[in-house]
Amino acid sequence: MGLTSNKVLALVVLLAVLLFIGTVWWWPRLARRTWWSVSGRVGLLLATQVLLFASVGLSVNQAFGFYASWADLMGQERGEGVVVDHNGASGPGGGPLQVVDTEQVMVSGGARAGTGGQIQKIDIVGRTTGIATPAYVYLPPEYFQPQYRTRTFPAVTVLTGYPGTARALIKALHFPQTANRLVREGRTQPMILVMLRPTVAPPRDTECVDIPGGPRTESFFAKDLPEAVADHYRVGRTPRSWGVIGDSTGGYCALKLAVHHPGVYAAGAGLSPYYKAPIDRTTGDLFRGDKALRNSADLRWYLRNKPAPDTSLLVTSSRVGESNYRATLDFIDLVKSKGLTRISSIILDSGGHNFNTWRREIPATLQWISGRLSDR
């Protein structure tokens, strides 16, 4: 059973409850001062504590999507490798994008694609970068309705934080469900959502950088991903057809992609983003001594020293609870001074760096990005 399985969580909780009851039941019999009784008391208390912490840990992991599997938890993730500069790369079936599974959207009428839309699990192999990664695609109900059969749709790349899982965008952040509801309420247009994590070379955190001699992550998101999706689905091919949203690390990547590639992404929204690629044990050496690459990964440096990109940006923070509040205000002021780049913000009174905060920001974010995208 997988790390994120509800069965695993239920089993551990059940064992913790049974062991607690057993401890209460057996305690009088272990009240003596013999070595056997003392060892029994210590063993019961230790086992109860272990199961209690395991229950809490599994619950937190399911809520926040920190680790996708046991191997991911143990730092032994070996899936989805990266082939550098493997031109002409293709998926198992010969194309860069392969659908491997489908599921319904958990909304009213979700049993039928024409009323609830559909979520497709896909595998993508970048034609130019060779990067291989799984993702989820949400197709709105209109995609399957006869009156829209010749229509193209705007698309939004949606990115998790690090080391988050793409599944969390569906189960914890409810992107498909929220997008479906907003269209029904007439607040947004139907959009295709391409949901994945920015960690395309797990377990390394590549920060959407084209690492010299390493994974060309920025190129994957700026070129390979939009091309593969547009070749497979009815997606518009102009810059006005694509937007990008992300939280935390994904928020930094979303802003970076919109700033660096305005000819691809017409809008980028960063939920609780930061504005400069960090260097730590999870990233390794991202720049290999390339000063220009390091400067380019600092969005504030880029906006001060490069021509203003023709794109729209959205940033979010909280006055209490977010460490990026002051940096976000400074970033807003900087972008406002660059005439061609447009900036918007969502500033909450309070909210931490977590899923609950982002769920409060997602409806307004989807409405904002919908207003800046076109289906053709």
Side-chain angles (χ1 to χ4, degrees), residues 163-250:
T165 67
R167 192 71 182 165
L169 295 168
I170 301 170
K171 291 296 186 181
L173 290 178
H174 308 149
F175 267 96
Q177 300 90 319
T178 305
N180 184 286
R181 173 174 60 83
L182 293 175
V183 172
R184 293 187 184 195
E185 294 172 354
R187 295 167 58 188
T188 65
Q189 61 177 317
M191 298 180 292
I192 293 173
L193 306 182
V194 185
M195 300 169 285
L196 66 167
R197 60 181 185 173
T199 314
V200 294
R204 188 175 187 183
D205 176 12
T206 55
E207 294 290 326
C208 296
V209 170
D210 277 358
I211 302 172
R216 295 165 54 211
T217 313
E218 182 172 354
S219 293
F220 172 79
F221 285 112
K223 181 175 175 60
D224 287 347
L225 178 66
E227 288 184 355
V229 171
D231 285 346
H232 193 89
Y233 298 102
R234 301 198 310 273
V235 174
R237 292 180 177 270
T238 68
R240 286 278 297 169
S241 300
W242 278 88
V244 55
I245 299 172
D247 62 77
S248 192
T249 298

Coordinates of all heavy atoms in Angstrom, one line a residue, residues 163-250:
P163 N 8.8 19.7 -1.8 CA 8.8 18.6 -2.8 C 7.5 18.1 -3.1 O 7.3 16.9 -3.3 CB 9.6 17.6 -2.0 CG 9.1 17.8 -0.6 CD 8.9 19.3 -0.4
G164 N 6.5 19.0 -3.2 CA 5.1 18.6 -3.3 C 4.8 17.6 -4.5 O 5.6 17.3 -5.3
T165 N 3.6 17.0 -4.5 CA 3.2 16.1 -5.5 C 2.1 16.7 -6.3 O 1.3 17.5 -5.9 CB 2.6 14.8 -4.8 OG1 1.4 15.1 -4.1 CG2 3.6 14.2 -3.8
A166 N 2.1 16.3 -7.6 CA 1.0 16.8 -8.5 C -0.4 16.4 -8.1 O -1.3 17.2 -8.3 CB 1.3 16.3 -9.9
R167 N -0.4 15.3 -7.4 CA -1.7 14.8 -6.9 C -2.4 15.8 -5.9 O -3.6 15.9 -5.8 CB -1.6 13.4 -6.3 CG -2.9 12.7 -6.0 CD -3.5 12.3 -7.3 NE -4.8 11.6 -7.0 CZ -5.7 11.4 -8.0 NH1 -5.4 11.8 -9.2 NH2 -6.8 10.8 -7.7
A168 N -1.5 16.5 -5.2 CA -2.0 17.4 -4.2 C -2.8 18.6 -4.8 O -3.6 19.2 -4.2 CB -0.8 18.0 -3.3
L169 N -2.4 18.9 -6.1 CA -3.2 20.0 -6.7 C -4.6 19.6 -6.9 O -5.5 20.5 -7.0 CB -2.5 20.3 -8.1 CG -1.1 20.8 -8.0 CD1 -0.4 20.8 -9.4 CD2 -1.1 22.3 -7.4
I170 N -4.9 18.3 -7.0 CA -6.3 17.9 -7.2 C -6.9 17.6 -5.8 O -8.0 18.1 -5.5 CB -6.3 16.6 -8.0 CG1 -5.7 16.8 -9.4 CG2 -7.7 16.0 -8.1 CD1 -5.4 15.6 -10.2
K171 N -6.2 16.8 -5.0 CA -6.8 16.3 -3.7 C -6.8 17.4 -2.6 O -7.7 17.4 -1.8 CB -6.1 15.1 -3.2 CG -6.3 13.9 -4.1 CD -7.8 13.4 -4.1 CE -8.0 12.1 -4.9 NZ -9.4 11.7 -4.9
A172 N -5.8 18.2 -2.5 CA -5.7 19.2 -1.4 C -6.0 20.6 -1.8 O -6.6 21.3 -1.1 CB -4.2 19.1 -0.8
L173 N -5.6 21.0 -3.0 CA -5.8 22.4 -3.4 C -7.1 22.5 -4.3 O -7.5 23.6 -4.6 CB -4.6 22.9 -4.2 CG -3.4 23.2 -3.3 CD1 -2.2 23.7 -4.1 CD2 -3.7 24.2 -2.2
H174 N -7.6 21.4 -4.8 CA -8.9 21.4 -5.5 C -8.9 22.3 -6.8 O -10.0 22.9 -7.0 CB -10.0 21.8 -4.6 CG -10.0 21.0 -3.3 ND1 -10.5 21.6 -2.1 CD2 -9.6 19.8 -3.0 CE1 -10.3 20.7 -1.1 NE2 -9.8 19.6 -1.6
F175 N -7.9 22.3 -7.5 CA -7.9 23.1 -8.7 C -9.0 22.8 -9.7 O -9.7 23.6 -10.2 CB -6.5 23.1 -9.4 CG -5.6 24.2 -9.0 CD1 -4.6 24.0 -8.0 CD2 -5.7 25.5 -9.6 CE1 -3.8 25.0 -7.6 CE2 -4.8 26.5 -9.2 CZ -3.9 26.3 -8.2
P176 N -9.1 21.5 -10.1 CA -10.2 21.1 -11.1 C -11.6 21.5 -10.5 O -12.4 22.0 -11.3 CB -10.0 19.6 -11.3 CG -8.6 19.3 -10.9 CD -8.3 20.3 -9.8
Q177 N -11.8 21.1 -9.3 CA -13.1 21.4 -8.7 C -13.4 22.9 -8.7 O -14.6 23.3 -9.0 CB -13.2 20.8 -7.3 CG -12.9 19.3 -7.2 CD -11.5 18.9 -7.0 OE1 -10.6 19.5 -7.6 NE2 -11.2 17.9 -6.1
T178 N -12.5 23.7 -8.3 CA -12.7 25.1 -8.2 C -12.9 25.7 -9.6 O -13.8 26.5 -9.8 CB -11.5 25.8 -7.6 OG1 -11.2 25.2 -6.3 CG2 -11.7 27.3 -7.4
A179 N -12.1 25.3 -10.6 CA -12.2 25.7 -12.0 C -13.6 25.4 -12.5 O -14.3 26.2 -13.2 CB -11.2 25.1 -12.9
N180 N -14.1 24.2 -12.2 CA -15.4 23.8 -12.6 C -16.5 24.6 -12.0 O -17.4 25.1 -12.7 CB -15.6 22.3 -12.3 CG -16.9 21.7 -12.8 OD1 -18.0 22.0 -12.2 ND2 -16.8 20.9 -13.8
R181 N -16.4 24.9 -10.8 CA -17.4 25.7 -10.1 C -17.4 27.2 -10.6 O -18.5 27.7 -10.8 CB -17.1 25.7 -8.6 CG -18.0 26.7 -7.8 CD -17.8 26.5 -6.3 NE -16.4 26.8 -5.9 CZ -16.0 28.1 -5.6 NH1 -16.8 29.1 -5.8 NH2 -14.7 28.2 -5.2
L182 N -16.3 27.7 -10.8 CA -16.2 29.1 -11.3 C -16.8 29.3 -12.7 O -17.4 30.3 -13.0 CB -14.7 29.6 -11.3 CG -14.1 29.7 -9.9 CD1 -12.6 30.1 -10.1 CD2 -14.8 30.8 -9.1
V183 N -16.6 28.3 -13.5 CA -17.3 28.3 -14.9 C -18.8 28.3 -14.7 O -19.5 29.0 -15.4 CB -16.7 27.2 -15.8 CG1 -17.5 27.2 -17.1 CG2 -15.2 27.4 -16.1
R184 N -19.2 27.4 -13.9 CA -20.7 27.3 -13.7 C -21.3 28.6 -13.1 O -22.4 28.9 -13.4 CB -21.0 26.1 -12.7 CG -20.7 24.7 -13.2 CD -21.2 23.7 -12.3 NE -20.8 22.3 -12.7 CZ -21.3 21.2 -12.3 NH1 -22.2 21.3 -11.3 NH2 -20.9 20.0 -12.7
E185 N -20.5 29.3 -12.3 CA -21.0 30.5 -11.8 C -20.8 31.7 -12.7 O -21.2 32.8 -12.4 CB -20.3 30.8 -10.5 CG -20.6 29.8 -9.3 CD -19.7 30.0 -8.1 OE1 -18.8 30.8 -8.2 OE2 -19.9 29.3 -7.1
G186 N -20.2 31.4 -13.9 CA -20.0 32.5 -14.9 C -18.9 33.4 -14.5 O -18.8 34.5 -15.1
R187 N -17.9 33.0 -13.7 CA -16.9 33.9 -13.2 C -15.6 33.7 -14.0 O -14.7 34.6 -14.0 CB -16.6 33.7 -11.7 CG -17.8 34.1 -10.8 CD -17.6 33.6 -9.4 NE -16.4 34.0 -8.8 CZ -16.0 33.6 -7.6 NH1 -16.7 32.7 -6.9 NH2 -14.9 34.1 -7.1
T188 N -15.5 32.6 -14.7 CA -14.3 32.3 -15.5 C -14.7 31.6 -16.8 O -15.8 31.1 -16.9 CB -13.2 31.4 -14.8 OG1 -13.8 30.1 -14.6 CG2 -12.8 32.0 -13.5
Q189 N -13.8 31.6 -17.8 CA -14.1 30.9 -19.0 C -13.5 29.4 -18.8 O -12.7 29.2 -17.9 CB -13.4 31.5 -20.2 CG -11.8 31.6 -20.0 CD -11.2 32.2 -21.3 OE1 -11.5 31.9 -22.4 NE2 -10.2 33.1 -21.0
P190 N -14.0 28.5 -19.6 CA -13.4 27.1 -19.5 C -12.0 27.1 -19.9 O -11.6 27.7 -20.9 CB -14.3 26.3 -20.5 CG -15.5 27.1 -20.8 CD -15.1 28.6 -20.6
M191 N -11.1 26.5 -19.1 CA -9.7 26.4 -19.3 C -9.2 25.0 -19.0 O -9.7 24.3 -18.2 CB -9.0 27.4 -18.4 CG -9.3 28.8 -18.5 SD -8.4 29.9 -17.4 CE -9.1 29.5 -15.8
I192 N -8.2 24.6 -19.8 CA -7.5 23.3 -19.5 C -6.4 23.6 -18.5 O -5.6 24.6 -18.6 CB -6.9 22.8 -20.9 CG1 -8.0 22.4 -21.8 CG2 -6.0 21.6 -20.6 CD1 -7.5 22.0 -23.2
L193 N -6.3 22.7 -17.5 CA -5.3 22.9 -16.5 C -4.3 21.7 -16.6 O -4.7 20.5 -16.7 CB -5.9 22.8 -15.1 CG -7.0 23.8 -14.8 CD1 -7.4 23.7 -13.3 CD2 -6.5 25.2 -15.0
V194 N -3.0 22.0 -16.7 CA -1.9 21.0 -16.8 C -1.2 21.1 -15.5 O -0.4 22.0 -15.2 CB -1.0 21.3 -18.0 CG1 0.1 20.2 -18.1 CG2 -1.7 21.5 -19.3
M195 N -1.4 20.1 -14.7 CA -0.9 20.1 -13.3 C 0.3 19.2 -13.0 O 0.2 18.0 -13.3 CB -2.1 19.7 -12.3 CG -3.3 20.7 -12.5 SD -4.8 20.0 -11.6 CE -5.3 18.8 -12.8
L196 N 1.3 19.7 -12.5 CA 2.5 18.9 -12.3 C 3.4 19.6 -11.2 O 3.2 20.8 -10.9 CB 3.3 18.6 -13.5 CG 4.0 19.8 -14.3 CD1 5.0 19.2 -15.3 CD2 3.0 20.7 -15.0
R197 N 4.4 18.9 -10.8 CA 5.4 19.6 -9.9 C 6.6 20.1 -10.7 O 7.0 19.5 -11.7 CB 5.8 18.6 -8.8 CG 6.5 17.3 -9.2 CD 6.8 16.5 -7.9 NE 7.6 15.3 -8.3 CZ 8.1 14.5 -7.3 NH1 7.9 14.8 -6.1 NH2 8.8 13.4 -7.7
P198 N 7.2 21.1 -10.2 CA 8.4 21.7 -10.9 C 9.6 20.8 -10.7 O 10.6 21.0 -11.4 CB 8.6 23.0 -10.2 CG 8.0 22.9 -8.8 CD 6.9 22.0 -9.0
T199 N 9.5 19.8 -9.8 CA 10.6 18.9 -9.6 C 10.6 17.8 -10.6 O 10.1 16.7 -10.4 CB 10.5 18.3 -8.2 OG1 10.2 19.3 -7.2 CG2 11.8 17.5 -7.7
V200 N 11.1 18.1 -11.8 CA 11.1 17.1 -12.9 C 12.3 16.2 -12.9 O 12.4 15.3 -13.7 CB 11.0 17.9 -14.2 CG1 9.7 18.6 -14.4 CG2 12.2 18.8 -14.4
A201 N 13.2 16.4 -12.0 CA 14.4 15.5 -11.8 C 14.5 15.1 -10.4 O 15.5 15.4 -9.7 CB 15.6 16.2 -12.3
P202 N 13.5 14.4 -9.8 CA 13.5 14.1 -8.4 C 14.7 13.2 -8.0 O 15.1 12.4 -8.8 CB 12.2 13.3 -8.2 CG 11.8 12.8 -9.5 CD 12.4 13.8 -10.5
P203 N 15.2 13.4 -6.8 CA 14.7 14.3 -5.8 C 15.3 15.7 -5.8 O 15.2 16.5 -4.9 CB 15.2 13.6 -4.5 CG 16.5 13.0 -4.9 CD 16.3 12.6 -6.3
R204 N 16.0 16.1 -6.9 CA 16.7 17.4 -7.0 C 15.7 18.5 -7.2 O 14.8 18.4 -8.0 CB 17.7 17.4 -8.1 CG 18.6 18.7 -8.0 CD 19.7 18.6 -9.1 NE 20.6 19.8 -8.9 CZ 21.6 20.1 -9.7 NH1 21.9 19.2 -10.7 NH2 22.4 21.1 -9.4
D205 N 15.9 19.6 -6.5 CA 15.1 20.8 -6.7 C 15.8 21.7 -7.7 O 16.8 22.4 -7.4 CB 14.9 21.5 -5.3 CG 14.2 22.9 -5.4 OD1 13.6 23.1 -6.5 OD2 14.2 23.6 -4.5
T206 N 15.3 21.7 -8.9 CA 16.0 22.4 -10.0 C 15.6 23.9 -10.1 O 16.2 24.6 -10.9 CB 15.8 21.7 -11.3 OG1 14.4 21.6 -11.6 CG2 16.4 20.4 -11.3
E207 N 14.6 24.3 -9.4 CA 14.2 25.8 -9.4 C 13.9 26.3 -10.8 O 14.1 27.5 -11.1 CB 15.3 26.6 -8.7 CG 15.4 26.3 -7.2 CD 14.2 26.8 -6.4 OE1 13.6 27.8 -6.7 OE2 13.9 26.1 -5.4
C208 N 13.5 25.5 -11.7 CA 13.2 25.9 -13.1 C 14.3 26.6 -13.7 O 14.2 27.7 -14.4 CB 11.9 26.8 -13.1 SG 10.4 25.9 -12.6
V209 N 15.5 26.1 -13.6 CA 16.8 26.6 -14.1 C 17.3 25.6 -15.2 O 17.2 24.4 -15.0 CB 17.8 26.8 -13.0 CG1 19.2 27.1 -13.6 CG2 17.4 27.9 -12.1
D210 N 17.8 26.2 -16.3 CA 18.5 25.4 -17.2 C 19.9 25.2 -16.7 O 20.9 26.0 -16.9 CB 18.6 26.1 -18.6 CG 17.4 25.8 -19.4 OD1 16.5 25.1 -19.0 OD2 17.3 26.4 -20.5
I211 N 20.1 24.1 -15.9 CA 21.4 23.9 -15.2 C 22.5 23.5 -16.3 O 22.3 22.6 -17.0 CB 21.2 22.8 -14.2 CG1 20.2 23.2 -13.2 CG2 22.6 22.5 -13.5 CD1 19.8 22.1 -12.2
P212 N 23.6 24.2 -16.3 CA 24.7 23.8 -17.2 C 25.1 22.4 -17.0 O 25.5 22.0 -15.9 CB 25.8 24.8 -16.8 CG 25.1 26.0 -16.2 CD 24.0 25.4 -15.5
G213 N 25.0 21.6 -18.1 CA 25.4 20.2 -18.0 C 24.3 19.3 -17.3 O 24.6 18.1 -17.0
G214 N 23.2 19.9 -16.9 CA 22.2 19.2 -16.1 C 20.8 19.3 -16.8 O 20.7 19.7 -17.9
P215 N 19.7 19.1 -16.0 CA 18.4 19.2 -16.5 C 18.1 20.6 -17.0 O 18.3 21.6 -16.3 CB 17.5 18.8 -15.4 CG 18.4 18.0 -14.4 CD 19.8 18.6 -14.6
R216 N 17.5 20.7 -18.2 CA 17.2 22.0 -18.7 C 15.7 22.3 -18.4 O 14.8 22.2 -19.3 CB 17.4 22.1 -20.2 CG 18.9 22.0 -20.6 CD 19.1 21.6 -22.0 NE 18.5 22.6 -22.9 CZ 18.0 22.3 -24.1 NH1 18.1 21.0 -24.6 NH2 17.4 23.2 -24.9
T217 N 15.4 22.5 -17.1 CA 14.1 22.6 -16.6 C 13.3 23.8 -17.2 O 12.1 23.7 -17.5 CB 14.1 22.7 -15.1 OG1 15.0 21.7 -14.6 CG2 12.7 22.4 -14.5
E218 N 13.9 24.9 -17.2 CA 13.2 26.1 -17.8 C 12.8 25.9 -19.2 O 11.7 26.2 -19.6 CB 14.1 27.4 -17.6 CG 13.4 28.6 -18.1 CD 14.2 29.9 -17.8 OE1 15.2 29.8 -17.2 OE2 13.7 31.0 -18.3
S219 N 13.7 25.3 -20.0 CA 13.3 25.1 -21.4 C 12.2 24.1 -21.5 O 11.3 24.2 -22.4 CB 14.5 24.6 -22.2 OG 15.5 25.6 -22.3
F220 N 12.1 23.1 -20.6 CA 11.0 22.1 -20.6 C 9.7 22.8 -20.4 O 8.7 22.6 -21.2 CB 11.2 21.1 -19.5 CG 10.1 20.1 -19.4 CD1 9.9 19.1 -20.3 CD2 9.1 20.3 -18.4 CE1 8.8 18.2 -20.1 CE2 8.1 19.5 -18.2 CZ 7.9 18.4 -19.1
F221 N 9.6 23.7 -19.4 CA 8.3 24.4 -19.2 C 8.0 25.5 -20.2 O 6.9 25.8 -20.4 CB 8.4 25.0 -17.8 CG 8.2 24.0 -16.7 CD1 9.2 23.7 -15.8 CD2 7.0 23.3 -16.5 CE1 9.1 22.7 -14.8 CE2 6.8 22.3 -15.5 CZ 7.9 22.0 -14.7
A222 N 9.1 26.1 -20.8 CA 8.8 27.2 -21.7 C 8.6 26.7 -23.1 O 8.0 27.4 -23.9 CB 10.0 28.1 -21.7
K223 N 9.1 25.5 -23.5 CA 8.9 25.0 -24.9 C 8.3 23.6 -25.0 O 7.3 23.5 -25.6 CB 10.3 25.0 -25.5 CG 10.3 24.5 -27.0 CD 11.7 24.7 -27.6 CE 11.7 24.1 -29.0 NZ 10.8 24.8 -29.9
D224 N 8.9 22.6 -24.4 CA 8.5 21.3 -24.5 C 7.1 21.0 -24.0 O 6.2 20.4 -24.7 CB 9.4 20.3 -23.8 CG 10.8 20.2 -24.5 OD1 10.8 20.6 -25.7 OD2 11.7 19.6 -24.0
L225 N 6.8 21.5 -22.8 CA 5.4 21.3 -22.2 C 4.3 21.9 -23.1 O 3.4 21.2 -23.4 CB 5.4 21.7 -20.8 CG 4.1 21.6 -20.1 CD1 3.7 20.1 -19.9 CD2 4.1 22.3 -18.7
P226 N 4.4 23.2 -23.4 CA 3.3 23.8 -24.2 C 3.1 23.1 -25.5 O 2.0 22.9 -26.0 CB 3.7 25.3 -24.3 CG 4.6 25.5 -23.1 CD 5.4 24.2 -22.9
E227 N 4.3 22.8 -26.2 CA 4.2 22.2 -27.5 C 3.5 20.8 -27.4 O 2.7 20.4 -28.3 CB 5.5 22.1 -28.1 CG 6.1 23.5 -28.6 CD 7.4 23.3 -29.3 OE1 8.0 22.2 -29.4 OE2 7.9 24.4 -29.8
A228 N 3.9 20.0 -26.4 CA 3.4 18.6 -26.3 C 1.9 18.7 -26.0 O 1.1 17.9 -26.6 CB 4.1 17.9 -25.2
V229 N 1.5 19.6 -25.1 CA 0.1 19.7 -24.8 C -0.8 20.2 -26.0 O -1.8 19.7 -26.3 CB -0.1 20.7 -23.6 CG1 -1.6 21.0 -23.3 CG2 0.5 20.0 -22.3
A230 N -0.2 21.2 -26.7 CA -0.9 21.8 -27.8 C -1.0 20.8 -29.0 O -2.0 20.8 -29.8 CB -0.3 23.1 -28.3
D231 N -0.1 19.9 -29.1 CA -0.1 18.9 -30.2 C -1.2 17.8 -29.9 O -1.7 17.1 -30.8 CB 1.2 18.2 -30.3 CG 2.2 19.0 -31.0 OD1 1.8 20.1 -31.7 OD2 3.4 18.7 -31.0
H232 N -1.5 17.6 -28.6 CA -2.4 16.5 -28.2 C -3.8 17.0 -27.9 O -4.8 16.3 -28.2 CB -1.9 15.8 -26.9 CG -2.5 14.5 -26.6 ND1 -2.1 13.3 -27.1 CD2 -3.6 14.3 -25.9 CE1 -2.9 12.4 -26.7 NE2 -3.8 12.9 -25.9
Y233 N -4.0 18.2 -27.4 CA -5.3 18.8 -27.0 C -5.6 20.0 -27.8 O -4.7 20.6 -28.5 CB -5.3 19.1 -25.5 CG -5.0 18.0 -24.6 CD1 -3.8 17.8 -24.0 CD2 -6.0 17.0 -24.3 CE1 -3.5 16.7 -23.1 CE2 -5.8 16.0 -23.4 CZ -4.6 15.8 -22.9 OH -4.3 14.7 -22.0
R234 N -6.9 20.4 -27.8 CA -7.3 21.6 -28.5 C -7.0 22.8 -27.7 O -7.9 23.4 -27.0 CB -8.8 21.5 -28.8 CG -9.2 20.3 -29.7 CD -10.6 20.4 -30.3 NE -11.6 20.8 -29.4 CZ -12.3 20.0 -28.7 NH1 -12.1 18.7 -28.7 NH2 -13.3 20.4 -27.9
V235 N -5.8 23.2 -27.8 CA -5.3 24.4 -27.0 C -4.8 25.5 -28.0 O -4.2 25.2 -29.1 CB -4.1 24.0 -26.1 CG1 -3.5 25.2 -25.5 CG2 -4.5 23.0 -25.1
G236 N -5.1 26.7 -27.7 CA -4.7 27.8 -28.6 C -3.2 27.9 -28.6 O -2.5 27.5 -27.6
R237 N -2.6 28.4 -29.7 CA -1.1 28.4 -29.8 C -0.5 29.8 -29.8 O 0.7 29.9 -30.1 CB -0.8 27.7 -31.2 CG -1.1 26.2 -31.2 CD -0.7 25.6 -32.5 NE -0.9 24.1 -32.5 CZ 0.0 23.2 -32.1 NH1 1.2 23.6 -31.8 NH2 -0.3 21.9 -32.2
T238 N -1.3 30.8 -29.4 CA -0.7 32.1 -29.2 C -0.3 32.3 -27.8 O -0.8 31.6 -26.9 CB -1.7 33.2 -29.7 OG1 -2.8 33.2 -28.7 CG2 -2.3 32.9 -31.1
P239 N 0.6 33.3 -27.5 CA 0.9 33.6 -26.1 C -0.3 33.9 -25.2 O -0.3 33.7 -24.0 CB 1.8 34.8 -26.2 CG 2.4 34.7 -27.6 CD 1.3 34.1 -28.5
R240 N -1.3 34.5 -25.8 CA -2.5 34.8 -25.1 C -3.3 33.6 -24.6 O -4.2 33.6 -23.9 CB -3.5 35.7 -25.9 CG -3.0 37.1 -26.0 CD -3.4 38.0 -24.8 NE -4.8 38.1 -24.7 CZ -5.4 38.6 -23.6 NH1 -4.7 39.0 -22.6 NH2 -6.7 38.7 -23.5
S241 N -2.9 32.4 -25.1 CA -3.6 31.2 -24.8 C -3.0 30.5 -23.6 O -3.6 29.5 -23.1 CB -3.5 30.2 -26.0 OG -4.1 30.8 -27.2
W242 N -1.9 30.9 -23.1 CA -1.2 30.2 -22.0 C -0.9 31.1 -20.8 O -0.5 32.2 -20.9 CB 0.1 29.6 -22.5 CG 0.0 28.3 -23.2 CD1 -0.2 28.2 -24.5 CD2 0.0 27.0 -22.7 NE1 -0.3 26.9 -24.9 CE2 -0.1 26.1 -23.7 CE3 0.2 26.5 -21.4 CZ2 -0.2 24.7 -23.5 CZ3 0.2 25.1 -21.2 CH2 0.0 24.3 -22.3
G243 N -1.2 30.5 -19.6 CA -0.9 31.1 -18.3 C -0.2 30.1 -17.4 O -0.2 28.9 -17.7
V244 N 0.3 30.6 -16.3 CA 1.0 29.6 -15.4 C 0.7 30.1 -14.0 O 0.8 31.3 -13.6 CB 2.5 29.5 -15.7 CG1 3.2 30.9 -15.7 CG2 3.2 28.6 -14.7
I245 N 0.4 29.2 -13.1 CA 0.2 29.4 -11.7 C 1.0 28.4 -10.8 O 1.2 27.3 -11.2 CB -1.3 29.2 -11.3 CG1 -2.2 30.1 -12.1 CG2 -1.6 29.3 -9.8 CD1 -3.7 29.8 -11.9
G246 N 1.5 28.9 -9.7 CA 2.2 28.0 -8.8 C 2.2 28.5 -7.4 O 2.0 29.7 -7.1
D247 N 2.5 27.6 -6.5 CA 2.6 28.0 -5.1 C 4.0 27.7 -4.6 O 4.7 26.7 -5.0 CB 1.6 27.2 -4.2 CG 1.8 25.7 -4.2 OD1 2.7 25.2 -3.5 OD2 1.0 25.0 -4.9
S248 N 4.5 28.6 -3.7 CA 5.8 28.5 -3.1 C 6.9 28.4 -4.2 O 7.0 29.3 -5.0 CB 5.9 27.3 -2.2 OG 7.0 27.3 -1.4
T249 N 7.7 27.3 -4.3 CA 8.6 27.1 -5.3 C 8.0 27.2 -6.7 O 8.5 27.8 -7.6 CB 9.4 25.7 -5.2 OG1 10.1 25.7 -4.0 CG2 10.3 25.5 -6.4
G250 N 6.8 26.6 -6.8 CA 6.0 26.7 -8.1 C 5.6 28.1 -8.4 O 5.5 28.5 -9.5

